[in-house]
Every structure is written in C-alpha cells, then in structure tokens.
C-alpha cells in the first residue's frame, strides 16, 4: 500500500522469503531533508516506533565513518609529561617516541570494555595490536589492553595509563 505523504510503509516478513505480500505492514513517519541541489542531508523518524528519541535526525556524512571518528576523537598533536611529542594524523599514522605506526579507531569496541585503536603490526598473527585510549580531564590517555576477567569483555584496558597526552597546537 502507498504511504501517506511524510510517512513510509515497512513490510515485515520472514528473512528467508522474498515474498512479502502476506507480511504485516507498519506505517512510520519520516522527514527527509535535502539540500538545494537535491542531495540528501538527513532522515528523521518522527515516531518512536524505530528509535527511542523521535525527531533526532540521521545526518549524512560525506566521509567514511572510520575517518570521521578518527578525526573527531584522536587526530592531533600531543605532549606527554616528559615533553615528548605524539601525533595522530587524519590518514591513520601515529608518530610516537617509540616510532611510527599505522592505526585505525575500532568502531565497535564491545568485546573490550574500553575504546581502542588497532595498531597494525605485521609481526603479529592477527596483524594488529590493540592500544586502549580514553579522554579524561582534557587529556588523551593511552592504556595497555589485556585479557578481560570475563566472557562479556574478553579484552580490558589496564591501569595506570602508559601515557597521558596533553593536546598542543600543531608543531611544525
């Protein structure tokens, strides 16, 4: 069935079947925002049918999600307590006192109980080593990742931090 303006119809049925003729239908409110050139800017569900907070827009991002998260969360130049410089770049290269490495921010750290970077390392069988991180009091803390105490989080960040980094203006 056709949905009323500003609404869409979702047909629900078994995943195994492409035939949805007999499936139940749900009508939900949807607001679409477009730029002047017609490009999609955001989608907003206006009913709490699909999301808890109706009217929160899902905004289009014009860059890959891993790059956006990296830029917003870790990219920058920092100094540790000894004055040593650490840089995390927008292309996923970390320049540290121990040498450079490539990395990416793990987008789903649910198995760890803490946020972490994947530090790529060709010498390891899995190809990468986790490096925990968190922001505390305006500083980026790097943490060692260890085996977790339970099956809910097989990895965990260990205390104390291995480095506490204070953001600085870019160093030439």
């Amino acid at each position: 069935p056709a949905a009323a303006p500003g609404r869409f119809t979702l047909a629900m049925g078994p995943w195994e079947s492409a035939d949805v003729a007999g499936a139940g239908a749900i009508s939900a409110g949807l607001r679409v925002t477009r730029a002047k050139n017609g490009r999609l800017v955001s989608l907003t569900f206006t009913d709490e049918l699909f999301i808890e907070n109706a009217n929160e827009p899902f905004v289009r991002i014009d860059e890959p999600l891993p790059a956006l998260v990296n830029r917003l969360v870790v990219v920058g130049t920092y100094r540790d307590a000894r004055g040593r410089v650490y840089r995390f770049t927008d292309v996923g290269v970390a320049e540290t006192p121990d040498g450079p490495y490539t990395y990416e921010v793990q987008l789903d750290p649910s198995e760890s109980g803490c946020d972490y970077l994947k530090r790529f390392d060709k010498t390891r069988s899995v190809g990468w080593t986790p490096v925990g991180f968190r922001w505390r009091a305006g500083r980026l803390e790097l943490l060692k990742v260890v085996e977790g105490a339970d099956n809910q989080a097989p990895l965990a960040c260990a205390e104390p931090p291995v480095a506490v980094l204070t953001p600085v203006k870019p160093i030439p």
Side-chain angles (χ1 to χ4, degrees), residues 63-96:
E63 63 185 301
L65 185 57
L68 175 67
V69 171
N70 180 48
R71 185 171 49 80
L72 294 175
V73 176
V74 297
V75 166
T77 302
Y78 307 86
R79 285 195 190 272
D80 67 10
R82 294 170 40 193
R84 299 180 304 170
V85 175
Y86 290 70
R87 277 193 191 91
F88 293 90
T89 70
D90 60 350
V91 294
V93 174
E95 300 167 5
T96 73

PDB file of all heavy atoms in Angstrom, residues 63-96:
ATOM      1  N   GLU A  63      32.162  11.624   4.512  1.00  0.00           N
ATOM      2  CA  GLU A  63      33.439  10.922   4.565  1.00  0.00           C
ATOM      3  C   GLU A  63      33.200   9.568   5.216  1.00  0.00           C
ATOM      4  O   GLU A  63      32.208   9.385   5.910  1.00  0.00           O
ATOM      5  CB  GLU A  63      34.487  11.730   5.330  1.00  0.00           C
ATOM      6  CG  GLU A  63      34.178  11.972   6.790  1.00  0.00           C
ATOM      7  CD  GLU A  63      35.205  12.882   7.453  1.00  0.00           C
ATOM      8  OE1 GLU A  63      36.397  12.546   7.467  1.00  0.00           O
ATOM      9  OE2 GLU A  63      34.805  13.938   7.960  1.00  0.00           O
ATOM     10  N   PRO A  64      34.077   8.623   4.988  1.00  0.00           N
ATOM     11  CA  PRO A  64      33.886   7.313   5.619  1.00  0.00           C
ATOM     12  C   PRO A  64      33.857   7.449   7.147  1.00  0.00           C
ATOM     13  O   PRO A  64      34.599   8.242   7.724  1.00  0.00           O
ATOM     14  CB  PRO A  64      35.110   6.516   5.164  1.00  0.00           C
ATOM     15  CG  PRO A  64      35.574   7.202   3.920  1.00  0.00           C
ATOM     16  CD  PRO A  64      35.240   8.657   4.116  1.00  0.00           C
ATOM     17  N   LEU A  65      32.990   6.675   7.790  1.00  0.00           N
ATOM     18  CA  LEU A  65      32.828   6.761   9.244  1.00  0.00           C
ATOM     19  C   LEU A  65      34.143   6.571  10.003  1.00  0.00           C
ATOM     20  O   LEU A  65      34.426   7.334  10.924  1.00  0.00           O
ATOM     21  CB  LEU A  65      31.774   5.767   9.721  1.00  0.00           C
ATOM     22  CG  LEU A  65      31.414   5.842  11.195  1.00  0.00           C
ATOM     23  CD1 LEU A  65      30.922   7.228  11.586  1.00  0.00           C
ATOM     24  CD2 LEU A  65      30.377   4.792  11.533  1.00  0.00           C
ATOM     25  N   PRO A  66      34.992   5.586   9.650  1.00  0.00           N
ATOM     26  CA  PRO A  66      36.264   5.457  10.383  1.00  0.00           C
ATOM     27  C   PRO A  66      37.122   6.725  10.319  1.00  0.00           C
ATOM     28  O   PRO A  66      37.729   7.105  11.318  1.00  0.00           O
ATOM     29  CB  PRO A  66      36.960   4.279   9.697  1.00  0.00           C
ATOM     30  CG  PRO A  66      35.838   3.479   9.105  1.00  0.00           C
ATOM     31  CD  PRO A  66      34.812   4.503   8.681  1.00  0.00           C
ATOM     32  N   ALA A  67      37.144   7.394   9.172  1.00  0.00           N
ATOM     33  CA  ALA A  67      37.934   8.625   9.047  1.00  0.00           C
ATOM     34  C   ALA A  67      37.342   9.740   9.901  1.00  0.00           C
ATOM     35  O   ALA A  67      38.072  10.490  10.553  1.00  0.00           O
ATOM     36  CB  ALA A  67      38.006   9.052   7.579  1.00  0.00           C
ATOM     37  N   LEU A  68      36.016   9.855   9.923  1.00  0.00           N
ATOM     38  CA  LEU A  68      35.355  10.880  10.733  1.00  0.00           C
ATOM     39  C   LEU A  68      35.621  10.659  12.216  1.00  0.00           C
ATOM     40  O   LEU A  68      35.999  11.586  12.942  1.00  0.00           O
ATOM     41  CB  LEU A  68      33.850  10.881  10.471  1.00  0.00           C
ATOM     42  CG  LEU A  68      33.032  11.821  11.351  1.00  0.00           C
ATOM     43  CD1 LEU A  68      33.361  13.281  11.031  1.00  0.00           C
ATOM     44  CD2 LEU A  68      31.556  11.550  11.200  1.00  0.00           C
ATOM     45  N   VAL A  69      35.450   9.428  12.688  1.00  0.00           N
ATOM     46  CA  VAL A  69      35.677   9.129  14.106  1.00  0.00           C
ATOM     47  C   VAL A  69      37.131   9.405  14.475  1.00  0.00           C
ATOM     48  O   VAL A  69      37.417  10.013  15.505  1.00  0.00           O
ATOM     49  CB  VAL A  69      35.267   7.682  14.439  1.00  0.00           C
ATOM     50  CG1 VAL A  69      35.701   7.292  15.845  1.00  0.00           C
ATOM     51  CG2 VAL A  69      33.760   7.513  14.271  1.00  0.00           C
ATOM     52  N   ASN A  70      38.059   8.984  13.641  1.00  0.00           N
ATOM     53  CA  ASN A  70      39.474   9.243  13.899  1.00  0.00           C
ATOM     54  C   ASN A  70      39.730  10.742  14.039  1.00  0.00           C
ATOM     55  O   ASN A  70      40.352  11.190  15.006  1.00  0.00           O
ATOM     56  CB  ASN A  70      40.333   8.661  12.774  1.00  0.00           C
ATOM     57  CG  ASN A  70      41.805   8.899  12.976  1.00  0.00           C
ATOM     58  OD1 ASN A  70      42.351   8.668  14.046  1.00  0.00           O
ATOM     59  ND2 ASN A  70      42.459   9.382  11.938  1.00  0.00           N
ATOM     60  N   ARG A  71      39.208  11.524  13.097  1.00  0.00           N
ATOM     61  CA  ARG A  71      39.431  12.972  13.109  1.00  0.00           C
ATOM     62  C   ARG A  71      38.832  13.622  14.357  1.00  0.00           C
ATOM     63  O   ARG A  71      39.446  14.493  14.976  1.00  0.00           O
ATOM     64  CB  ARG A  71      38.843  13.591  11.838  1.00  0.00           C
ATOM     65  CG  ARG A  71      39.114  15.064  11.692  1.00  0.00           C
ATOM     66  CD  ARG A  71      38.709  15.601  10.321  1.00  0.00           C
ATOM     67  NE  ARG A  71      37.380  15.234   9.901  1.00  0.00           N
ATOM     68  CZ  ARG A  71      36.264  15.830  10.310  1.00  0.00           C
ATOM     69  NH1 ARG A  71      36.325  16.816  11.176  1.00  0.00           N
ATOM     70  NH2 ARG A  71      35.090  15.451   9.863  1.00  0.00           N
ATOM     71  N   LEU A  72      37.651  13.187  14.747  1.00  0.00           N
ATOM     72  CA  LEU A  72      36.988  13.802  15.895  1.00  0.00           C
ATOM     73  C   LEU A  72      37.535  13.341  17.240  1.00  0.00           C
ATOM     74  O   LEU A  72      37.450  14.067  18.227  1.00  0.00           O
ATOM     75  CB  LEU A  72      35.480  13.513  15.847  1.00  0.00           C
ATOM     76  CG  LEU A  72      34.722  14.138  14.684  1.00  0.00           C
ATOM     77  CD1 LEU A  72      33.267  13.669  14.704  1.00  0.00           C
ATOM     78  CD2 LEU A  72      34.809  15.653  14.718  1.00  0.00           C
ATOM     79  N   VAL A  73      38.101  12.133  17.298  1.00  0.00           N
ATOM     80  CA  VAL A  73      38.466  11.556  18.592  1.00  0.00           C
ATOM     81  C   VAL A  73      39.962  11.624  18.899  1.00  0.00           C
ATOM     82  O   VAL A  73      40.335  11.950  20.020  1.00  0.00           O
ATOM     83  CB  VAL A  73      37.956  10.098  18.694  1.00  0.00           C
ATOM     84  CG1 VAL A  73      38.391   9.445  19.982  1.00  0.00           C
ATOM     85  CG2 VAL A  73      36.444  10.061  18.572  1.00  0.00           C
ATOM     86  N   VAL A  74      40.830  11.319  17.947  1.00  0.00           N
ATOM     87  CA  VAL A  74      42.255  11.246  18.299  1.00  0.00           C
ATOM     88  C   VAL A  74      43.198  12.111  17.477  1.00  0.00           C
ATOM     89  O   VAL A  74      44.304  12.382  17.928  1.00  0.00           O
ATOM     90  CB  VAL A  74      42.786   9.786  18.277  1.00  0.00           C
ATOM     91  CG1 VAL A  74      42.103   8.935  19.309  1.00  0.00           C
ATOM     92  CG2 VAL A  74      42.689   9.167  16.914  1.00  0.00           C
ATOM     93  N   VAL A  75      42.819  12.538  16.290  1.00  0.00           N
ATOM     94  CA  VAL A  75      43.752  13.302  15.454  1.00  0.00           C
ATOM     95  C   VAL A  75      44.216  14.552  16.192  1.00  0.00           C
ATOM     96  O   VAL A  75      43.410  15.289  16.754  1.00  0.00           O
ATOM     97  CB  VAL A  75      43.116  13.676  14.098  1.00  0.00           C
ATOM     98  CG1 VAL A  75      43.935  14.741  13.378  1.00  0.00           C
ATOM     99  CG2 VAL A  75      42.977  12.444  13.217  1.00  0.00           C
ATOM    100  N   GLY A  76      45.521  14.744  16.221  1.00  0.00           N
ATOM    101  CA  GLY A  76      46.086  15.924  16.861  1.00  0.00           C
ATOM    102  C   GLY A  76      47.526  15.703  17.264  1.00  0.00           C
ATOM    103  O   GLY A  76      48.090  14.628  17.071  1.00  0.00           O
ATOM    104  N   THR A  77      48.099  16.739  17.808  1.00  0.00           N
ATOM    105  CA  THR A  77      49.469  16.702  18.304  1.00  0.00           C
ATOM    106  C   THR A  77      49.415  16.852  19.817  1.00  0.00           C
ATOM    107  O   THR A  77      48.667  17.679  20.341  1.00  0.00           O
ATOM    108  CB  THR A  77      50.308  17.836  17.681  1.00  0.00           C
ATOM    109  OG1 THR A  77      50.275  17.689  16.252  1.00  0.00           O
ATOM    110  CG2 THR A  77      51.750  17.788  18.157  1.00  0.00           C
ATOM    111  N   TYR A  78      50.206  16.041  20.505  1.00  0.00           N
ATOM    112  CA  TYR A  78      50.174  15.972  21.969  1.00  0.00           C
ATOM    113  C   TYR A  78      51.583  15.929  22.519  1.00  0.00           C
ATOM    114  O   TYR A  78      52.529  15.593  21.827  1.00  0.00           O
ATOM    115  CB  TYR A  78      49.457  14.695  22.428  1.00  0.00           C
ATOM    116  CG  TYR A  78      48.092  14.496  21.825  1.00  0.00           C
ATOM    117  CD1 TYR A  78      47.928  13.876  20.588  1.00  0.00           C
ATOM    118  CD2 TYR A  78      46.961  14.921  22.501  1.00  0.00           C
ATOM    119  CE1 TYR A  78      46.662  13.688  20.038  1.00  0.00           C
ATOM    120  CE2 TYR A  78      45.694  14.732  21.961  1.00  0.00           C
ATOM    121  CZ  TYR A  78      45.559  14.115  20.731  1.00  0.00           C
ATOM    122  OH  TYR A  78      44.304  13.922  20.195  1.00  0.00           O
ATOM    123  N   ARG A  79      51.705  16.234  23.802  1.00  0.00           N
ATOM    124  CA  ARG A  79      52.965  16.059  24.546  1.00  0.00           C
ATOM    125  C   ARG A  79      52.655  15.252  25.789  1.00  0.00           C
ATOM    126  O   ARG A  79      51.614  15.432  26.426  1.00  0.00           O
ATOM    127  CB  ARG A  79      53.558  17.397  24.951  1.00  0.00           C
ATOM    128  CG  ARG A  79      54.198  18.157  23.817  1.00  0.00           C
ATOM    129  CD  ARG A  79      55.069  19.286  24.358  1.00  0.00           C
ATOM    130  NE  ARG A  79      55.490  20.149  23.298  1.00  0.00           N
ATOM    131  CZ  ARG A  79      56.593  19.965  22.569  1.00  0.00           C
ATOM    132  NH1 ARG A  79      57.372  18.947  22.815  1.00  0.00           N
ATOM    133  NH2 ARG A  79      56.909  20.803  21.613  1.00  0.00           N
ATOM    134  N   ASP A  80      53.606  14.379  26.146  1.00  0.00           N
ATOM    135  CA  ASP A  80      53.447  13.629  27.397  1.00  0.00           C
ATOM    136  C   ASP A  80      54.103  14.409  28.532  1.00  0.00           C
ATOM    137  O   ASP A  80      54.619  15.515  28.324  1.00  0.00           O
ATOM    138  CB  ASP A  80      53.980  12.196  27.267  1.00  0.00           C
ATOM    139  CG  ASP A  80      55.490  12.104  27.081  1.00  0.00           C
ATOM    140  OD1 ASP A  80      56.204  13.121  27.227  1.00  0.00           O
ATOM    141  OD2 ASP A  80      55.969  10.991  26.788  1.00  0.00           O
ATOM    142  N   ALA A  81      54.110  13.857  29.725  1.00  0.00           N
ATOM    143  CA  ALA A  81      54.649  14.542  30.908  1.00  0.00           C
ATOM    144  C   ALA A  81      56.140  14.851  30.766  1.00  0.00           C
ATOM    145  O   ALA A  81      56.643  15.777  31.399  1.00  0.00           O
ATOM    146  CB  ALA A  81      54.404  13.695  32.156  1.00  0.00           C
ATOM    147  N   ARG A  82      56.846  14.078  29.940  1.00  0.00           N
ATOM    148  CA  ARG A  82      58.282  14.318  29.725  1.00  0.00           C
ATOM    149  C   ARG A  82      58.547  15.263  28.562  1.00  0.00           C
ATOM    150  O   ARG A  82      59.695  15.502  28.207  1.00  0.00           O
ATOM    151  CB  ARG A  82      58.981  12.983  29.487  1.00  0.00           C
ATOM    152  CG  ARG A  82      58.938  12.119  30.742  1.00  0.00           C
ATOM    153  CD  ARG A  82      59.392  10.696  30.566  1.00  0.00           C
ATOM    154  NE  ARG A  82      60.531  10.498  29.715  1.00  0.00           N
ATOM    155  CZ  ARG A  82      60.916   9.299  29.253  1.00  0.00           C
ATOM    156  NH1 ARG A  82      60.245   8.223  29.599  1.00  0.00           N
ATOM    157  NH2 ARG A  82      61.960   9.184  28.470  1.00  0.00           N
ATOM    158  N   GLY A  83      57.468  15.787  27.933  1.00  0.00           N
ATOM    159  CA  GLY A  83      57.619  16.734  26.828  1.00  0.00           C
ATOM    160  C   GLY A  83      57.770  16.075  25.466  1.00  0.00           C
ATOM    161  O   GLY A  83      57.988  16.763  24.467  1.00  0.00           O
ATOM    162  N   ARG A  84      57.672  14.749  25.413  1.00  0.00           N
ATOM    163  CA  ARG A  84      57.814  14.048  24.136  1.00  0.00           C
ATOM    164  C   ARG A  84      56.553  14.237  23.291  1.00  0.00           C
ATOM    165  O   ARG A  84      55.451  14.293  23.818  1.00  0.00           O
ATOM    166  CB  ARG A  84      58.092  12.560  24.357  1.00  0.00           C
ATOM    167  CG  ARG A  84      59.401  12.334  25.123  1.00  0.00           C
ATOM    168  CD  ARG A  84      59.692  10.881  25.355  1.00  0.00           C
ATOM    169  NE  ARG A  84      58.583  10.232  26.064  1.00  0.00           N
ATOM    170  CZ  ARG A  84      58.469   8.927  26.237  1.00  0.00           C
ATOM    171  NH1 ARG A  84      59.390   8.108  25.754  1.00  0.00           N
ATOM    172  NH2 ARG A  84      57.446   8.419  26.897  1.00  0.00           N
ATOM    173  N   VAL A  85      56.759  14.320  21.983  1.00  0.00           N
ATOM    174  CA  VAL A  85      55.673  14.616  21.053  1.00  0.00           C
ATOM    175  C   VAL A  85      55.048  13.329  20.514  1.00  0.00           C
ATOM    176  O   VAL A  85      55.747  12.376  20.152  1.00  0.00           O
ATOM    177  CB  VAL A  85      56.187  15.480  19.878  1.00  0.00           C
ATOM    178  CG1 VAL A  85      55.108  15.687  18.831  1.00  0.00           C
ATOM    179  CG2 VAL A  85      56.703  16.806  20.401  1.00  0.00           C
ATOM    180  N   TYR A  86      53.711  13.335  20.459  1.00  0.00           N
ATOM    181  CA  TYR A  86      52.922  12.272  19.833  1.00  0.00           C
ATOM    182  C   TYR A  86      52.016  12.953  18.820  1.00  0.00           C
ATOM    183  O   TYR A  86      51.410  13.980  19.122  1.00  0.00           O
ATOM    184  CB  TYR A  86      52.023  11.568  20.851  1.00  0.00           C
ATOM    185  CG  TYR A  86      52.715  10.720  21.875  1.00  0.00           C
ATOM    186  CD1 TYR A  86      53.487  11.282  22.886  1.00  0.00           C
ATOM    187  CD2 TYR A  86      52.562   9.339  21.850  1.00  0.00           C
ATOM    188  CE1 TYR A  86      54.105  10.499  23.839  1.00  0.00           C
ATOM    189  CE2 TYR A  86      53.175   8.540  22.819  1.00  0.00           C
ATOM    190  CZ  TYR A  86      53.937   9.127  23.793  1.00  0.00           C
ATOM    191  OH  TYR A  86      54.544   8.335  24.745  1.00  0.00           O
ATOM    192  N   ARG A  87      51.908  12.390  17.616  1.00  0.00           N
ATOM    193  CA  ARG A  87      50.980  12.912  16.606  1.00  0.00           C
ATOM    194  C   ARG A  87      50.120  11.763  16.098  1.00  0.00           C
ATOM    195  O   ARG A  87      50.627  10.684  15.807  1.00  0.00           O
ATOM    196  CB  ARG A  87      51.732  13.489  15.417  1.00  0.00           C
ATOM    197  CG  ARG A  87      52.210  14.867  15.582  1.00  0.00           C
ATOM    198  CD  ARG A  87      52.664  15.456  14.221  1.00  0.00           C
ATOM    199  NE  ARG A  87      53.345  16.688  14.454  1.00  0.00           N
ATOM    200  CZ  ARG A  87      54.660  16.806  14.641  1.00  0.00           C
ATOM    201  NH1 ARG A  87      55.429  15.762  14.575  1.00  0.00           N
ATOM    202  NH2 ARG A  87      55.196  17.976  14.871  1.00  0.00           N
ATOM    203  N   PHE A  88      48.829  12.031  15.978  1.00  0.00           N
ATOM    204  CA  PHE A  88      47.906  11.099  15.342  1.00  0.00           C
ATOM    205  C   PHE A  88      47.334  11.845  14.150  1.00  0.00           C
ATOM    206  O   PHE A  88      46.752  12.921  14.310  1.00  0.00           O
ATOM    207  CB  PHE A  88      46.799  10.673  16.315  1.00  0.00           C
ATOM    208  CG  PHE A  88      47.316   9.845  17.458  1.00  0.00           C
ATOM    209  CD1 PHE A  88      47.730  10.446  18.638  1.00  0.00           C
ATOM    210  CD2 PHE A  88      47.399   8.463  17.344  1.00  0.00           C
ATOM    211  CE1 PHE A  88      48.213   9.691  19.689  1.00  0.00           C
ATOM    212  CE2 PHE A  88      47.884   7.698  18.399  1.00  0.00           C
ATOM    213  CZ  PHE A  88      48.295   8.305  19.567  1.00  0.00           C
ATOM    214  N   THR A  89      47.525  11.307  12.950  1.00  0.00           N
ATOM    215  CA  THR A  89      47.161  12.031  11.730  1.00  0.00           C
ATOM    216  C   THR A  89      45.814  11.575  11.181  1.00  0.00           C
ATOM    217  O   THR A  89      45.314  10.499  11.520  1.00  0.00           O
ATOM    218  CB  THR A  89      48.227  11.831  10.640  1.00  0.00           C
ATOM    219  OG1 THR A  89      48.164  10.475  10.181  1.00  0.00           O
ATOM    220  CG2 THR A  89      49.628  12.159  11.154  1.00  0.00           C
ATOM    221  N   ASP A  90      45.279  12.416  10.290  1.00  0.00           N
ATOM    222  CA  ASP A  90      43.990  12.093   9.690  1.00  0.00           C
ATOM    223  C   ASP A  90      44.064  10.926   8.710  1.00  0.00           C
ATOM    224  O   ASP A  90      43.032  10.399   8.309  1.00  0.00           O
ATOM    225  CB  ASP A  90      43.372  13.323   9.033  1.00  0.00           C
ATOM    226  CG  ASP A  90      44.243  13.904   7.935  1.00  0.00           C
ATOM    227  OD1 ASP A  90      45.407  13.496   7.780  1.00  0.00           O
ATOM    228  OD2 ASP A  90      43.750  14.802   7.222  1.00  0.00           O
ATOM    229  N   VAL A  91      45.261  10.487   8.355  1.00  0.00           N
ATOM    230  CA  VAL A  91      45.400   9.325   7.467  1.00  0.00           C
ATOM    231  C   VAL A  91      45.742   8.060   8.252  1.00  0.00           C
ATOM    232  O   VAL A  91      46.061   7.031   7.673  1.00  0.00           O
ATOM    233  CB  VAL A  91      46.433   9.564   6.342  1.00  0.00           C
ATOM    234  CG1 VAL A  91      45.950  10.653   5.391  1.00  0.00           C
ATOM    235  CG2 VAL A  91      47.794   9.891   6.910  1.00  0.00           C
ATOM    236  N   GLY A  92      45.672   8.135   9.592  1.00  0.00           N
ATOM    237  CA  GLY A  92      45.878   6.946  10.400  1.00  0.00           C
ATOM    238  C   GLY A  92      47.319   6.565  10.631  1.00  0.00           C
ATOM    239  O   GLY A  92      47.655   5.385  10.703  1.00  0.00           O
ATOM    240  N   VAL A  93      48.180   7.551  10.776  1.00  0.00           N
ATOM    241  CA  VAL A  93      49.577   7.288  11.120  1.00  0.00           C
ATOM    242  C   VAL A  93      49.842   7.954  12.472  1.00  0.00           C
ATOM    243  O   VAL A  93      49.551   9.135  12.660  1.00  0.00           O
ATOM    244  CB  VAL A  93      50.551   7.848  10.064  1.00  0.00           C
ATOM    245  CG1 VAL A  93      51.995   7.681  10.517  1.00  0.00           C
ATOM    246  CG2 VAL A  93      50.338   7.162   8.720  1.00  0.00           C
ATOM    247  N   ALA A  94      50.354   7.150  13.407  1.00  0.00           N
ATOM    248  CA  ALA A  94      50.744   7.674  14.707  1.00  0.00           C
ATOM    249  C   ALA A  94      52.251   7.854  14.708  1.00  0.00           C
ATOM    250  O   ALA A  94      52.993   6.946  14.330  1.00  0.00           O
ATOM    251  CB  ALA A  94      50.332   6.714  15.812  1.00  0.00           C
ATOM    252  N   GLU A  95      52.699   9.035  15.099  1.00  0.00           N
ATOM    253  CA  GLU A  95      54.129   9.308  15.245  1.00  0.00           C
ATOM    254  C   GLU A  95      54.377   9.429  16.741  1.00  0.00           C
ATOM    255  O   GLU A  95      53.873  10.352  17.379  1.00  0.00           O
ATOM    256  CB  GLU A  95      54.495  10.592  14.505  1.00  0.00           C
ATOM    257  CG  GLU A  95      54.196  10.514  13.020  1.00  0.00           C
ATOM    258  CD  GLU A  95      54.254  11.875  12.326  1.00  0.00           C
ATOM    259  OE1 GLU A  95      54.614  12.880  12.981  1.00  0.00           O
ATOM    260  OE2 GLU A  95      53.923  11.923  11.137  1.00  0.00           O
ATOM    261  N   THR A  96      55.123   8.458  17.291  1.00  0.00           N
ATOM    262  CA  THR A  96      55.334   8.403  18.736  1.00  0.00           C
ATOM    263  C   THR A  96      56.822   8.331  19.046  1.00  0.00           C
ATOM    264  O   THR A  96      57.627   8.039  18.157  1.00  0.00           O
ATOM    265  CB  THR A  96      54.635   7.163  19.337  1.00  0.00           C
ATOM    266  OG1 THR A  96      55.371   5.997  18.977  1.00  0.00           O
ATOM    267  CG2 THR A  96      53.195   7.033  18.856  1.00  0.00           C
TER     268      THR A  96
END
